[in-house]
Amino acid sequence: NAGVTQTPKFQVLKTGQSMTLQCAQDMNHNSMYWYRQDPGMGLRLIYYSASEGTTDKGEVPNGYNVSRLNKREFSLRLESAAPSQTSVYLCACSGGGTEQYFGPGTRLTVT
Amino acid sequence: KQEVTQIPAALSVPEGENLVLNCSFTDSAIYNLQWFRQDPGKGLTSLLLIQSSQREQTSGRLNASLDKSSGRSTLYIAASQPGDSATYLCAVTSDRGSTLGRLYFGRGTQLTVWP
């Protein structure tokens, strides 16, 4: 029982490159979330998915797209990376209104 | 918009002290409040969850209280140990229609417990 897993753990991109961050959970939870964590800014919600087949924007969605592939997987795509997207990306899941469980994070640097 | 504030931003104490971390929030329409711990370079680990109808929750040396009407929560750590050194984050789950289920985080308190 791995909980929430994220790949890759680290990534360096050049400005303009694209990539997809992967998140998977084996907790059978309906809701999944993507956050970014920046020094001095705390965690901010990028996108969330209340259930399979639905996605909604959070506080800072610009520059990102998401896909809820199935109940287990929720991916985050950067189509054209910018230095402002250098951050730690955290994925989480919850059973709806209850505790959120977080993955270990992806540390992304955009040069 | 919900704003969550944590005080102090950093705290350094000797081993064995009892300590209190504070969290305040501006909108009392919350579903629950969660305290998390984050170790350097790691994700978040849930410590305690308090439902909006509850006043407190306890787990081992940790006790969290919630005063929803005044928008405050405290995390009490008894007999602190060096292993407690980490950043502690407070988050509230919105109970307001347009943002139902969203989590709003404070910026955390960085705790150092020295031997």
Side-chain angles (χ1 to χ4, degrees):
Chain A
N1 189 339
V4 182
T5 57
Q6 291 184 238
T7 55
K9 286 187 168 56
F10 301 93
Q11 184 71 49
V12 178
L13 290 178
K14 293 185 177 177
T15 298
Q17 287 185 319
S18 62
M19 78 161 296
T20 299
L21 282 64
Q22 306 287 353
C23 175
Q25 53 103 357
D26 61 5
M27 307 179 81
N28 201 35
H29 284 168
N30 285 323
S31 300
M32 296 186 73
Y33 309 82
W34 276 106
Y35 295 89
R36 60 178 290 172
Q37 184 175 29
D38 302 290
M41 300 290 291
L43 273 81
R44 292 177 292 170
L45 182 65
I46 306 172
Y47 271 94
Y48 66 102
S49 170
S51 61
E52 184 179 350
T54 68
T55 60
D56 285 288
K57 295 178 181 179
E59 298 175 70
V60 288
N62 291 344
Y64 305 96
N65 285 302
V66 290
S67 295
R68 184 73 183 267
L69 304 170
N70 47 55
K71 191 171 186 179
R72 290 189 63 248
E73 297 171 291
F74 188 37
S75 63
L76 178 72
R77 183 159 179 85
L78 287 69
E79 291 290 352
S80 180
S84 61
Q85 294 179 304
T86 293
S87 188
V88 175
Y89 291 87
L90 294 168
C91 176
C93 67
S94 78
T98 59
E99 288 180 79
Q100 288 201 9
Y101 298 89
F102 283 78
T106 293
R107 280 144 190 82
L108 175 67
T109 301
V110 183
T111 61
Chain B
K1 182 192 166 188
Q2 179 75 269
E3 303 269 351
V4 180
T5 303
Q6 290 187 245
I7 295 172
L11 185 61
S12 181
V13 300
E15 181 176 9
E17 280 208 358
N18 302 322
L19 48 97
V20 174
L21 308 183
N22 296 293
C23 172
S24 61
F25 47 94
T26 55
D27 186 349
S28 62
I30 66 167
Y31 189 79
N32 60 41
L33 182 144
Q34 244 178 296
W35 282 95
F36 293 90
R37 168 188 173 134
Q38 186 175 31
D39 293 288
K42 306 289 187 183
L44 277 65
T45 301
S46 180
L47 296 173
L48 290 164
L49 175 101
I50 311 177
Q51 300 292 350
S52 61
S53 58
Q54 296 176 317
R55 298 286 291 182
E56 66 178 323
Q57 280 285 352
T58 298
S59 176
R61 295 183 293 108
L62 305 179
N63 175 276
S65 67
L66 173 64
D67 184 340
K68 184 181 166 183
S69 60
S70 69
R72 295 178 190 274
S73 175
T74 61
L75 179 67
Y76 176 82
I77 303 177
S80 58
Q81 303 170 358
D84 295 329
S85 298
T87 297
Y88 291 80
L89 294 155
C90 166
V92 297
T93 303
S94 173
D95 195 23
R96 194 168 288 286
S98 60
T99 58
L100 183 66
R102 284 198 203 173
L103 224 59
Y104 292 89
F105 283 84
R107 297 183 182 183
T109 293
Q110 187 173 359
L111 174 65
T112 303
V113 182
W114 41 276

